[in-house]
Amino acid sequence: MPGLTIIGTGHYVPGDPVTNDDLKRVMDTDDAWIRQRTGIHQRYYAPEGVGSSELGAKASALAIEAAGIDPKEIDYIVAATMTADYVFPGIGGQVAEKLGLGWIPALDIRQQCAAIPYAIQVADALATAGAASTVLVVGADAHAGFMPWTDWDVVYGKTERKVSPEAYARATAHRGLAVLFGDGAGAMILRKSPTPGHGFMSADLHTDGALAEGIYIPGGSFLNRPYWTPEMYERQEQVPRMNGRELFKSAVKRLPVSVRKLCKRHGVTLDDIDWFIAHQANDRINAAVRDALKIPAEKVPSNIARFGNTSAGTIGILMDEMVRDGRIQRGQLLCLFALGAGLNWGALLMRY
Ligand code: UT7
């Protein structure tokens, strides 16, 4: 068993934060509602022309620096985004190009908010197969492009202008989704741990295609000829459709099962785990998972207040903060868990 461990982390978010009150300029929403229902206070948005490959490359450069390696030592990339710069290709190749990594293989995975446990499992499997030794795992998302408004100058408070009643109504129709997401990237460099018994242990991962439309983008679909039409935009089908309640219930029901299964597999107790690093979709989801597992709140850190849901970025961003401020220490037992579009979900155990 190779047991890849994380030797360097980095994260990046673009520009200045946009608060809940800022969003009130373009839709009918409420700071108290957003805080109470989600835990989010603010989020960041990538400016026009900046995509997830750029966010991912910036986070990756910081991870490479933290690992103290020559970038040329990286021999594989596993990249995750649901908001690639283009419908295709994925961003892995562009991340490599921006970092000057040469023609190394860059694998793009599509597990959305659940991407990082999948990506680490894939990285470990690549190492086991002898296909890679130093892997860059990067999760990056730039959701600004699917926000249901075009008046960015109003959002940023650069004008006193009011948005039109039509624009306000259009954004309000998607407020349950629009307030959740923010842009950002988290990256990690993985390599075989020099300490026997340390590193990746295993993952319990699942996909339920029956819930593919639990959260998805109806526009730009290759079920249609052509796959993009003006009518799609009229129907605002560039904005994801989300069954928030269904996702919430699925997360609260399915994630504790995965965590318990992993613990049983490895003969560890929930008490043995130092940190539960959860995807940041909603503080209430993580509180419910915590309650179901009867684990203390201090072991399930949150940073959703500052970043919102950065999709594939969340776990990498949180881990980077915790590594840099000293909360995550070598030898600690970490349990990652996440649920995202697909529906994909699961948990992962690693001794850091
Ligand atoms: O990353 C993985 C993908 N996403 C998720 O995992 C999301 C999981 N789901 C959730 O986090 C929650 O379901 C939400 C935060 C999306 C919604 O919370 P909820 O408690 O399920 O609220 P709801 O959608 O049932 O809406 C309750 C009320 C509605 O008003 P009425 O019909 O009761 O009058 C909504 O119109 O809250 C209203 N509402 C809002 N009010 C102010 C919905 N969004 C907003 C908003 N501001 N942004």
Side-chain angles (χ1 to χ4, degrees):
M1 295 288 278
L4 291 196
T5 195
I6 296 163
I7 61 163
T9 57
H11 84 269
Y12 178 78
V13 290
D16 295 324
V18 171
T19 66
N20 297 340
D21 280 335
D22 293 335
L23 294 183
K24 282 173 67 174
R25 301 192 196 107
V26 287
M27 66 173 133
D28 179 13
T29 189
D30 174 38
D31 177 54
W33 189 97
I34 302 171
R35 285 178 189 238
Q36 280 160 17
R37 300 283 177 129
T38 70
I40 298 167
H41 300 182
Q42 61 173 46
R43 75 287 290 143
Y44 297 80
Y45 294 118
E48 184 113 47
V50 172
S52 49
S53 73
E54 186 168 331
L55 305 182
K58 288 197 160 129
S60 300
L62 293 168
I64 292 167
E65 189 186 314
I69 59 165
D70 181 335
K72 297 278 182 226
E73 293 173 53
I74 296 170
D75 52 11
Y76 223 111
I77 295 182
V78 182
T81 187
M82 63 179 199
T83 51
D85 296 12
Y86 305 110
V87 171
F88 75 85
I91 61 167
Q94 290 155 280
V95 170
E97 204 274 329
K98 286 183 165 69
L99 294 168
L101 301 186
W103 294 349
I104 59 169
L107 177 68
D108 284 275
I109 65 166
R110 298 190 60 170
Q111 268 57 41
Q112 290 65 244
C113 298
I116 296 306
Y118 272 86
I120 294 175
Q121 186 196 49
V122 167
D124 196 78
L126 288 165
T128 305
S133 63
T134 305
V135 184
L136 165 62
V137 164
V138 54
D141 270 293
H143 310 95
F146 71 47
M147 288 302 155
W149 57 78
T150 52
D151 302 284
W152 285 98
D153 53 342
V154 179
V155 171
Y156 287 120
K158 288 184 179 157
T159 169
E160 292 297 305
R161 184 173 64 81
K162 296 261 179 288
V163 301
S164 71
E166 295 75 26
Y168 192 81
R170 206 161 49 231
T172 300
H174 297 284
R175 63 183 177 173
L177 173 115
V179 300
L180 301 180
F181 292 95
D183 299 348
M188 47 189 85
I189 310 291
L190 291 112
R191 182 178 271 180
K192 187 172 166 37
S193 172
T195 314
H198 283 203
F200 172 79
M201 293 158 69
S202 78
D204 178 69
L205 301 175
H206 301 274
T207 304
D208 178 359
L211 292 180
E213 292 176 0
I215 174 167
Y216 78 116
I217 296 186
S221 158
F222 282 89
L223 295 173
N224 301 287
R225 301 173 184 181
Y227 75 96
W228 187 253
T229 63
E231 292 74 27
M232 287 175 178
Y233 184 70
E234 280 305 306
R235 295 191 295 265
Q236 290 286 287
E237 288 183 359
Q238 83 282 12
V239 183
R241 301 297 188 262
M242 180 178 80
N243 185 341
R245 293 234 167 137
E246 184 67 48
L247 295 176
F248 197 106
K249 278 191 290 186
S250 296
V252 169
K253 235 173 37 208
R254 299 176 193 208
L255 290 170
V257 176
S258 273
V259 172
R260 285 190 198 284
K261 220 156 107 187
L262 267 181
C263 285
K264 195 162 170 223
R265 186 186 298 161
H266 290 279
V268 299
T269 67
L270 291 165
D271 276 350
D272 293 333
I273 294 168
D274 293 290
W275 297 109
F276 294 86
I277 318 283
H279 167 53
Q280 306 286 298
N282 186 327
D283 263 347
R284 279 165 51 229
I285 291 179
N286 292 342
V289 172
R290 224 170 57 203
D291 289 349
L293 292 170
K294 300 187 179 56
I295 48 183
E298 314 80 74
K299 281 196 180 184
V300 193
S302 167
N303 63 6
I304 196 171
R306 286 175 289 125
F307 300 110
N309 179 353
T310 57
S311 294
T314 61
I315 286 181
I317 294 174
L318 182 55
M319 286 191 80
D320 183 44
E321 291 197 320
M322 294 177 70
V323 166
R324 285 176 194 266
D325 69 21
R327 274 178 289 172
I328 293 182
Q329 297 279 332
R330 285 281 160 222
Q332 285 182 336
L333 191 56
L334 310 182
C335 177
L336 280 48
F337 62 82
L339 175 137
L343 196 72
N344 295 289
W345 74 96
L348 177 152
L349 269 182
M350 87 178 329
R351 192 163 293 281
Y352 179 75

